[in-house]
Amino acid sequence: MIWWTDLPSRARAERQAIAELAEEADWLQSAKWRLTDDLQFVADFDIVHLGASYPLSLTYPHFFPAVPPQVTPRDGARISGHQYGAGGELCLEYRPDNWEPQFTGAMMIGSAYRLLSGESPSDGEVADVASAHRQTVAQEVRNTKLRLILNTTLLDILVEQPLLQAQPFTLDEHWFAKHWLAHPRRLGSPDAPPIWAAAPPLTEPRTREGFAIRLPDETNVPFEGSYAFLNTILTALNFAPALERMTASDAEMPLLLVHRGTARLYSLAQGTGSRAVYVYRTIVAPANEQRLSAEHGVLADQCVAIVGCGSVGSKIAATLTRAGVGTLVLVDGDLLLPGNLVRNELDWRAVGLNKPDALAARLDDINPSTKTIVRRLLLGGQESSASTDSALQQIGQCDLIIDATADAQIFNLCGSVACAERKPLIWAEVFAGGIGGMIARSRPDLDPPPYAARRQILRWCDDNGIPWTGGDGEQYSLQIDAEKPPLIADDADVSVIAAHAGRMAIDLLKGGATTFPNSAYAIGMAREWIFAAPFDTYPIDLVPEGQWGPDADENARDELGGLLREFFPKAEEAADEG
C-alpha cells in the first residue's frame, strides 16, 4: 500500500501544514522532502533550541493516516529520555494508542519541539518531562531471553527475609520457546519446604543453587550486572559463603538480590576469575488470580471418564483440566500417529505414544493438580475379558462418563455402564466433511437412558425426513477398514464440537440448574444436510423412556435364593440344623 498515491490531496496538505509551521516557528528549519527506496514519504528538518541543532526525520508509514508518522534523529543519536534507544523514534504526545486520522505530521513536529525544549528549559538545565506513555510488562521484557518468574506472595516472602543475610537459594529453570525461564524453589537449607509450592514442576529442569540476599534500600544496585559489581557487593558486606563460592569455585552461581521491594536475579557464568554475569528480567504475576467462577470449585472433587483420547476426547480433556476437574480416567487403545496431528490436542513430541499416556503428560503440563488414570484399552476390541471388565468397573465409578469415540459398539458399552451404575453420560460426534456435529447427555431419571436417548435422536432425524449421516462407526484407530476413507474434518470443526461438549460437561458437574434446556443438539458448521447456515443449531427434545438401573429379574429375590442354594447346599443344611 502506498498511501500518497491514493490520497494525493492529503500528501499536499501535509506538505503545506509543515511549510506553514516553518513560517511561524523560528525553531523549525531546513524542511526538505524525499522518498525512500520503498516509497515512504519523508520530511527531513532541524529543530534549533538554545543554540543546539537537532537533525530529525518525519517518516510517514505505509498505512498513514491510520497510524502516526515517526520522528527519529537523522544522525542516530540519543537525544531524549523519551526515545526508543539511540537512533530510535521519539515517544511523543501522539502515539498509536491515541492517534486520530485528522492529526498531522506538523503536529508531530510541534510535539517533538515541546519534548526537547521541555527537557532543556535553559542553558545548562536538565528537566524531566512527564510521560503519558505506559509500557506493559510484556512490552518491557519482549526482547529479553532470561526471565525470573515470581508471584506477589513469593515476592513478599523474599522482601521480608532478614536484612544482610546470605541465605541458600535454589531455583529451577528450563529452556522453552528460545528463552530461559527461572522459578525460585527454596529459600534456606535443602530440606526447607518449597517457597512456591503452587508452581508446577518443570519437565527436566536445570536446578541451580546460590544465595539470596536482602540489601538495604540505600545500596546502589545497577540493572546491568558485572563481575566487578558482584565482587564489590559481596566483599563490602562481608558475605563470606557467597564470596568464597564466587572466587574459589568454577561452578555457576545464581545470586538473588532483594532491594527496594523487588528481586533481581544475577547469574555468574561457569569459569574462574572475572567472568560473565547474566541479568534476568523479573516478572511478577498476581497471586491466586481467580479467572473461574466460584462454582468451579466443586470440580476438584469430581472424577470424569473420557473414553476416546483422539481429536474430540483430547480437547475435552484439556478443557476439563483447565476448569479444575480433580481426576480424569483416560481410556483409549490407539497410538498417536502423524496424521492425527491435524486436529489433536497433542503435538509431534507424542507421535508413537499410546494416546492416553501422551494425553496424561499434556494434561499434567496444563494443570498438575488434576490426577490422571490411564487405561490403554480398546473397548469392544480384542482385549481380555478381565481387562475390559476392570476398565468398565473403573468407568462406572466416575461421576461422569464421556464417550468421544463416535463408535456404536463403544457407545453401547458406555451406555450400559452409565445405566447400571446410574451415572450421567455425555457423547459427542463430528459429522464427516466438517459440516457439523452433535452433542448429547443422558442423566439418571432426568433423561431417557443412553440407548433410548440415542434411539430418539435417530427417530428425530426420521421424523424430519432427513437421513442420519453421523455416527457411522468411523474410528481414529489402527483397526480402521483400509478401504474406508478417513474422517474429513479439520481442527476448527472438531474444536467447535469438543468445546460444546466440554461446556455441557462442566455445566453438569457444577450441579444445580442447568443452562442447557435440551439434552441433545445438532450443531451446523456449513450449509449442508439439515443446516440452513453455519452455526445453525437444532435442539432435540428427549422424552422419558426406559428405566435407569441394572437389569433385574422380576422375581430376583427368589431366583437369587435358589441359585445360592444350588451352589452352596451345605450352607443351607447347616442353617437347618442350627
Side-chain angles (χ1 to χ4, degrees), residues 311-331:
S311 54
V312 174
S314 66
K315 294 177 184 297
I316 295 174
T319 294
L320 298 185
T321 299
R322 291 187 174 96
V325 170
T327 304
L328 292 177
V329 177
L330 307 175
V331 184

Side-chain angles (χ1 to χ4, degrees), residues 68 108 116 147 156 204 215 219 222-223 279 283 333 381 399 419 439 489 536 549 559:
M108 298 290 292
L116 296 176
R147 305 182 184 189
D156 289 342
E204 298 182 356
L215 301 177
T219 306
F223 180 75
V279 184
I283 298 174
D399 299 295
C419 188
I439 59 170
D536 192 8
E559 291 287 344

Side-chain angles (χ1 to χ4, degrees), residues 10-58:
R10 178 62 186 262
R12 188 181 311 110
E14 289 292 318
R15 295 187 63 176
Q16 183 176 346
I18 291 177
E20 291 174 355
L21 180 61
E23 292 177 4
E24 299 171 1
D26 57 1
W27 49 263
L28 176 57
Q29 298 180 5
S30 306
K32 297 179 181 178
W33 293 88
R34 61 185 170 90
L35 288 176
T36 65
D37 291 341
D38 61 349
L39 301 181
Q40 283 188 300
F41 215 44
V42 178
D44 293 328
F45 61 95
D46 295 341
I47 288 180
V48 178
H49 177 64
L50 297 178
S53 180
Y54 301 91
L56 302 168
S57 292
L58 177 74

